[in-house]
Amino acid sequence: MAVDYAVIVVYLAGMLAMGWWGMRRARSKSEFLVAGRRLGPWMYSGTMAAIVLGGASTIGGVGLGYQYGLSGAWMVFTIGLGLLALSVFFSARIARLKVYTVSEMLDLRYGGRAGVISGVVMWAYTLMLAVTSTIAYATIFDVLFDVNRTVAIILGGAIVVAYSTLGGMWSITITDMVQFVVKTIGVLLLLLPIAVVKAGGFSEMKAKLPTEYFDPLGIGGETIFTYVLIYTFGMLIGQDIWQRVFTARSDSTARWGGTVAGTYCLVYALAGAVIGTAAKVMYPKLPSADAAFATIVKDELPVGVRGLVLAAALAAVMSTSSGALIACATVANNDIWSRLRGVVAKEGGGERDEVKGNRAFILIMGVAVIVIAIALNNVVEALTVAYNLLVGGLLVPILGGLLWRRGTAAGALAAVAVGGASVIGLMAGYGILANEPVYYGLLASLAVYVVVSPATKPTDPAVLTAWRERLAGRGTEDPATPDPVTV
């Protein structure tokens, strides 16, 4: 394993070096939180694909393939569909707003009264997303170094917190590009063909497995519908995703770069399912489906290649973890702490104190994430709670604000409160992992929004005028912004 260890150590050292490089570049709030809104199409595509394809998409996607066959691709496939929908229909308008958080968008649209409560919901979502990504380090470092769970979480989490705190979005962007390349080589170009060959090819896989393993709907229609509701719609409104949209240098970059990233996700989804199906042929009686990825990597790959593929898994986890961490810290500082203090952050290019403040929040949130990850056992339940709150509480007021002129602040606040409360109450009644909470919570949020909005005073015409100006991209340029990054 010495060669494999060397590959991993070089990779981790490179991540820290990128953090140091990012620290020298991130000299303003805009640079630190959204990379100066200067990313070109290729860098934007790579970082967007990296943020959405994390440990759940890699290790979990292979596990679903092991359990259900090719239909196990649906979870990651719906993530790709959500990213495509966001990119084609909404990303250009979102990028033109020149804000930092989803709650700032709600304030612009509804007149400044939706920020704190929506910020709390979004903060809870991003916190749990960061926690669940951090827990995934335990699986990977256990395979690599045979260390216990707590040490693995601290080791992986500390590296992510270090480079994220140092350079903010610039560090995360550069590391995500490296992670995107490593994932592409490790999973798509190496692990996928090796797994299929080791399993005897597709003909041997079909001969040894039940026919339902090759049924594209074998996982079940209700499960697919739930994936669409949670992951496809979740991609449309998550702060971690929107913060990447804010980094695009232009409308076309956000639209076409995101479309490329979404298409990449569809390919990645199918690859994970095929790898899991191959693992089922080679190891039909694994104790856990989620063990399929680590088992096939550890037992079937040659020295060096094994280290690169494990680095790919580590890259997948780190990209999601760092993206969720900076999103969590941005919401905590800009949408909650600043508002509670009565301070409205200014848009600009030289606020060094704001960089220090956001850097401090990343460090604080990062330590909190590591502590919670060590204490938390059930990752699936935590992630389900996060996505249920996000979709049930925020989907309607966000999309309603973008699509329906008659939506009001009262309707938005009622939708957030009723949707969030319904989801929490229904999870208590049906169980956290049940499908009903997000179904009925979303319906309750929609019903309240469409009833309360027409029954209350319309949004101030001046607010709507300012909103349309922002959507058109007028008067929102960051001052003192350097030339775009064109890669």
Side-chain angles (χ1 to χ4, degrees):
M1 293 286 289
V3 175
D4 297 323
Y5 291 160
V7 172
I8 299 299
V9 169
V10 169
Y11 169 77
L12 294 177
M15 295 302 99
L16 293 175
M18 295 299 176
W20 184 260
W21 178 89
M23 181 179 68
R24 300 180 62 185
R25 189 175 188 111
R27 298 178 180 178
S28 70
K29 178 182 178 181
S30 178
E31 295 282 349
F32 190 80
L33 293 182
V34 290
R37 310 186 195 277
R38 297 192 289 128
L39 298 192
W42 293 112
M43 186 172 284
Y44 178 87
S45 297
T47 57
M48 184 61 86
I51 181 65
V52 300
L53 295 174
S57 300
T58 303
I59 299 171
V62 171
L64 287 171
Y66 182 89
Q67 189 172 0
Y68 298 105
L70 297 186
S71 67
W74 272 106
M75 183 187 77
V76 182
F77 201 84
T78 56
I79 291 174
L81 292 177
L83 188 52
L84 285 171
L86 173 71
S87 301
V88 173
F89 298 112
F90 300 109
S91 63
R93 282 182 282 178
I94 293 170
R96 286 195 292 266
L97 291 174
K98 294 292 191 292
V99 295
Y100 292 106
T101 69
V102 175
S103 294
E104 287 183 49
M105 167 264 170
L106 292 174
D107 278 351
L108 283 172
R109 169 60 181 81
Y110 294 112
R113 290 181 288 169
V116 174
I117 185 171
S118 61
V120 170
V121 174
M122 189 64 77
W123 174 78
Y125 157 72
T126 54
L127 179 69
M128 285 298 98
L129 184 62
V131 167
T132 53
S133 300
T134 302
I135 290 174
Y137 295 128
T139 301
I140 299 170
F141 280 105
D142 178 57
V143 175
L144 286 172
F145 305 117
D146 194 25
V147 297
N148 68 49
R149 180 178 183 274
T150 299
V151 173
I153 289 172
I154 293 174
L155 178 60
I159 293 171
V160 169
V161 171
Y163 73 69
S164 301
T165 301
L166 286 172
M169 186 59 81
W170 268 122
S171 294
I172 293 171
T173 296
I174 300 302
T175 54
D176 276 0
M177 279 303 298
V178 174
Q179 289 158 356
F180 171 74
V181 172
V182 171
K183 278 192 290 191
T184 300
I185 295 173
V187 175
L188 296 185
L189 301 183
L190 293 176
L191 184 58
L192 175 61
I194 290 173
V196 172
V197 170
K198 292 282 187 178
F202 286 105
S203 59
E204 188 69 14
M205 290 162 62
K206 288 184 177 180
K208 289 187 176 181
L209 294 174
T211 55
E212 55 264 27
Y213 263 73
F214 301 92
D215 180 358
L217 303 179
I219 199 170
E222 184 178 354
T223 299
I224 295 171
F225 179 73
T226 303
Y227 284 159
V228 170
L229 202 60
I230 293 178
Y231 296 114
T232 300
F233 285 123
M235 288 296 106
L236 298 179
I237 58 175
Q239 169 68 24
D240 52 323
I241 309 302
W242 277 41
Q243 200 156 342
R244 297 310 174 98
V245 176
F246 300 150
T247 66
R249 76 178 187 196
S250 66
D251 297 357
S252 59
T253 295
R255 184 182 296 112
W256 296 112
T259 300
V260 170
T263 305
Y264 179 90
C265 291
L266 303 184
V267 175
Y268 201 88
L270 185 59
V274 171
I275 293 167
T277 304
K280 184 67 175 179
V281 173
M282 291 181 280
Y283 309 99
K285 295 182 179 180
L286 288 177
S288 167
D290 285 340
F293 180 89
T295 302
I296 196 171
V297 169
K298 193 172 184 179
D299 294 349
E300 301 296 336
L301 299 186
V303 173
V305 173
R306 178 171 50 203
L308 184 59
V309 172
L310 286 172
L314 195 59
V317 176
M318 283 187 162
S319 57
T320 300
S321 180
S322 59
L325 176 59
I326 193 172
C328 177
T330 302
V331 170
N333 188 18
N334 289 265
D335 292 338
I336 300 175
W337 178 244
S338 294
R339 293 168 192 266
L340 292 177
R341 293 171 57 224
V343 176
V344 178
K346 297 179 180 179
E347 180 82 15
E351 309 96 328
R352 292 179 182 271
D353 289 342
E354 288 198 50
V355 172
K356 293 178 181 178
N358 283 291
R359 184 173 280 134
F361 264 87
I362 291 179
L363 180 59
I364 293 168
M365 291 295 105
V367 172
V369 163
I370 293 172
V371 171
I372 296 171
I374 293 171
L376 195 64
N377 288 319
N378 198 316
V379 181
V380 176
E381 289 190 358
L383 195 59
T384 301
V385 170
Y387 270 101
N388 282 354
L389 282 173
L390 177 70
V391 174
L394 292 179
L395 179 67
V396 169
I398 291 173
L399 294 189
L402 289 169
L403 300 173
W404 191 32
R405 177 188 174 90
R406 189 60 183 85
T408 65
L413 288 171
V416 174
V418 172
S422 298
V423 164
I424 293 172
L426 290 166
M427 284 192 293
Y430 284 99
I432 290 176
L433 298 180
N435 294 328
E436 287 82 0
V438 71
Y439 294 167
Y440 300 140
L442 185 56
L443 287 174
S445 180
L446 178 61
V448 169
Y449 185 73
V450 299
V451 169
V452 172
S453 289
T456 54
K457 183 180 179 180
T459 304
D460 187 335
V463 171
L464 288 178
T465 298
W467 167 253
R468 287 193 294 270
E469 289 290 309
R470 292 294 284 259
L471 282 179
R474 290 190 284 268
T476 57
E477 293 80 7
D478 289 344
T481 298
D483 293 334
V485 174
T486 58
V487 292

